[in-house]
Amino acid sequence: MAGGLIARFNFADGEVSMDVEPEKKFTIIASVREGDNVTDIRLSTNNESDFTMWYAACRMASRGKSAGHGGHDNMQAAIQMVLDMHKSKKVRDESEAIVAEHFVPHRILKKKPIKQIAPAILDAHTGVSGHSLIDARLNYIKTCEALLDFGISYFIVRFQSFRAKDELLGVAYKGLIRLDPKTHAHLHTWRYSTMRSWNINWEIKEMRIEHEDEVLTFTCSSADLKILHEFIGGYIFMSMRKDVHEPVNTEMFFKLTGGWEG
C-alpha cells in the first residue's frame, strides 16, 4: 500500500485478540493505552497470509517485542494452526466444550462475547502446548511478573493529611503506593530509598514514616498494623540486600519485621 504513516499506536501492555470468519474476513481486535485512555482498534483483511503476519506482529508488540524477534515465526505458525482448526470446524466443537467461566473472570465475560473468548483461549493454548512442564511454569511466572500490579499487597488506611477518609495503600517491593480506591490508579509513590525513618505507636495503632520531603502518618483498618509493619519491614530488608547469594542477616530481618516484640 502506497502512502505515508496514517497513525501510530503503542501496543505494549495492550490486549490483542482476533475475530475470524474462515476464508472470508480476518479481524485483529486491539485495546491500546494512550495515557489514561484506552483505544479500541479493529484491523480487517480478507487475506489470510497478511492476517497471520500482522496478528503475530501485534501479539509480539503487546509483549514488548518487535516483529523481528525470533519468536515471531513461531507465533505466526501457531496462528496459522488455529486458522486451520477453524477451517476444519474443529474450533467450533472445542469452543463449545470450553467453559469460559473456568478461565476468565466475570468482568471480562461482561465485556466480550464467549464466541470471542473461547477461540482466544484455544489460541493461547496453542502457543504453549509444545512447552515442557518446566518451560510452561517459567512462562507463567514471567507473565505474572509482567502484570502492572504484580507483587502489590493492598491495605485500607486513613492518612492524617488526606481528610481522614479511607484510602487504598499498596505495599510493593520498591515502595508504598497511594491508589484510587475505585479505579486503582496510582496517585503517588513513596520509595523506600527516600525513607529516613519509620516508627509505630502501638498503643493507638498508628504508623509514622518520614521521607525526604514528606511525613506520612496513618492507621490501618483492613488488617492488624503489625501485618502492614511486617510487609514494609520485609521489603526494606530485601531492598538492602545487594547480593542475593550473601548469607541472610536474620538479626536485621527480625529487627525490621518484629518491632512490636521489642
Side-chain angles (χ1 to χ4, degrees):
M1 181 180 68
L5 179 69
I6 298 176
R8 184 188 299 272
F9 297 98
N10 183 1
F11 277 67
D13 297 324
E15 296 182 8
V16 181
S17 60
M18 64 177 180
D19 187 12
V20 174
E21 299 178 32
E23 301 179 356
K24 292 183 179 180
K25 187 177 182 181
F26 306 89
T27 302
I28 300 171
I29 305 172
S31 296
V32 298
R33 293 185 178 276
E34 296 178 330
D36 295 331
N37 300 319
V38 177
T39 301
D40 292 326
I41 305 170
R42 298 179 70 92
L43 304 173
S44 298
T45 179
N46 56 4
N47 186 298
E48 184 174 309
S49 297
D50 288 346
F51 172 79
T52 57
M53 178 181 65
W54 283 104
Y55 184 53
C58 291
R59 289 288 299 274
M60 297 298 292
S62 70
R63 300 177 183 181
K65 300 176 182 178
S66 70
H69 187 273
H72 178 270
D73 291 343
N74 293 334
M75 176 72 73
Q76 189 169 349
I79 295 168
Q80 186 61 57
M81 186 181 300
V82 172
L83 294 180
D84 292 341
M85 292 169 65
H86 272 279
K87 293 177 185 177
S88 64
K89 298 184 180 181
K90 185 177 180 181
V91 162
R92 180 181 299 174
D93 297 336
E94 294 190 17
S95 297
E96 291 175 354
I98 290 177
V99 181
E101 291 85 348
H102 293 173
F103 295 88
V104 296
H106 287 290
R107 67 175 183 275
I108 302 298
L109 294 176
K110 293 179 180 178
K111 296 179 180 179
K112 297 183 178 180
I114 292 180
K115 70 176 183 179
Q116 286 186 14
I117 294 176
I121 294 172
L122 286 175
D123 180 20
H125 178 265
T126 302
V128 299
S129 59
H131 292 178
S132 67
L133 179 60
I134 296 298
D135 287 339
R137 287 176 173 175
L138 288 174
N139 285 337
Y140 178 80
I141 293 172
K142 290 178 181 178
T143 301
C144 291
E145 290 177 339
L147 296 175
L148 180 63
D149 292 337
F150 172 77
I152 301 179
S153 300
Y154 300 99
F155 297 87
I156 298 175
V157 301
R158 284 199 172 190
F159 293 98
Q160 278 191 358
S161 56
F162 295 117
R163 302 178 184 176
K165 64 179 181 179
D166 286 343
E167 299 274 356
L168 192 61
L169 180 70
V171 183
Y173 71 97
K174 289 185 178 180
L176 305 178
I177 307 169
R178 179 174 168 242
L179 304 101
D180 186 298
K182 295 182 179 180
T183 65
H184 281 211
H186 292 197
L187 302 177
H188 194 84
T189 300
W190 300 277
R191 293 187 174 274
Y192 299 129
S193 59
T194 65
M195 185 184 295
R196 291 182 174 177
S197 66
W198 63 308
N199 58 75
I200 298 176
N201 186 328
W202 293 109
E203 293 183 1
I204 61 175
K205 301 289 186 180
E206 184 178 82
M207 181 176 288
R208 184 177 186 273
I209 302 177
E210 182 180 350
H211 289 269
E212 293 178 350
D213 56 354
E214 191 174 4
V215 176
L216 302 177
T217 304
F218 57 86
T219 58
C220 181
S221 59
S222 62
D224 192 307
L225 192 61
K226 72 178 183 180
I227 296 177
L228 179 54
H229 174 275
E230 288 178 345
F231 269 90
I232 296 176
Y235 278 128
I236 291 176
F237 176 79
M238 292 171 62
S239 68
M240 293 170 58
R241 297 191 69 198
K242 304 302 180 183
D243 184 359
V244 296
H245 299 293
E246 67 182 9
V248 176
N249 187 336
T250 54
E251 182 179 354
M252 177 61 70
F253 176 78
F254 287 115
K255 182 179 180 180
L256 289 170
T257 60
W260 68 89
E261 298 175 350

